[in-house]
């Protein structure tokens, strides 16, 4: 497998293609965001029918996953009252997402970016995000 340290446009489009295909299979039009390793947006697609309100959510899920190097659902579990990161969702101007659907993109042990999806349930968003990563890794 090739070693990449950051995502380029071709790789970002592979992530989107894999996520889009899974979204079509499950019948949920999604907003799909891809960020670089620093959490900066490099690619985005709002599928026909994707929720307008999900645009920002998808972008912030990808941001969180890449910049914090942690899946958003892991933050969700850790940020419940009484847990060590309670209230983290209000950090960085509220950009840190604690709802499932944002995954870090890891290649050869390095976080090279993030993918975030929104418009379905958290489980559907996570399933489509993972499909995007699986598609990318199968192409490298």
């Amino acid at each position: 497998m090739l070693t990449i340290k950051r995502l380029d446009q071709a790789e970002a489009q592979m992530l989107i293609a894999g996520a889009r295909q899974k979204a079509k299979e499950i019948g949920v039009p999604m907003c799909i965001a891809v960020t670089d390793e620093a959490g900066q947006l490099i690619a985005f697609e709002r599928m026909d029918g994707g929720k307008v309100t999900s645009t920002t959510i998808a972008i912030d899920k990808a941001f969180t996953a890449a910049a914090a190097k942690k899946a958003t659902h892991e933050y969700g579990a850790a940020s419940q009252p009484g847990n060590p990161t309670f209230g983290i969702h209000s950090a960085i101007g509220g950009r840190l997402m604690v709802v499932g659907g944002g995954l870090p993109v890891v290649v050869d042990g390095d976080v090279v970016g993030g993918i975030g999806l929104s418009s379905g349930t958290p489980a559907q968003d996570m399933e489509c995000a993972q499909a995007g990563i699986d598609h990318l890794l199968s192409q490298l």
Side-chain angles (χ1 to χ4, degrees):
M1 177 165 31
L2 296 174
T3 300
I4 59 174
K5 293 296 180 184
R6 64 178 45 141
L7 296 173
D8 62 22
Q9 276 298 310
E11 293 153 347
Q13 292 305 316
M14 283 185 237
L15 285 161
I16 288 174
R20 180 190 323 111
Q21 181 58 40
K22 179 55 76 174
K24 286 181 179 180
E25 286 174 19
I26 66 172
V28 179
M30 295 279 187
C31 292
I32 308 165
V34 177
T35 63
D36 65 13
E37 76 287 355
Q40 297 303 301
L41 185 67
I42 58 173
F44 178 82
E45 179 178 314
R46 180 174 161 238
M47 296 173 65
D48 291 340
K51 296 175 185 173
V52 174
T53 55
S54 292
T55 298
T56 302
I57 295 168
I59 292 168
D60 286 353
K61 285 180 180 182
F63 166 81
T64 300
K69 300 179 180 6
K70 183 182 282 287
T72 55
H73 68 276
E74 292 175 1
Y75 264 135
S79 67
Q80 297 303 307
N83 286 344
T85 58
F86 176 67
I88 198 162
H89 64 280
S90 65
I92 312 176
R95 286 203 69 193
L96 287 181
M97 294 298 297
V98 297
V99 177
L103 298 176
V105 179
V106 180
V107 177
D108 292 334
D110 293 317
V111 174
V112 297
I115 183 170
L117 280 89
S118 186
S119 282
T121 66
Q124 290 169 327
D125 295 350
M126 289 188 309
E127 178 181 15
C128 293
Q130 187 61 56
I133 292 171
D134 293 345
H135 180 69
L136 171 68
L137 295 178
S138 74
Q139 302 299 307
L140 293 180

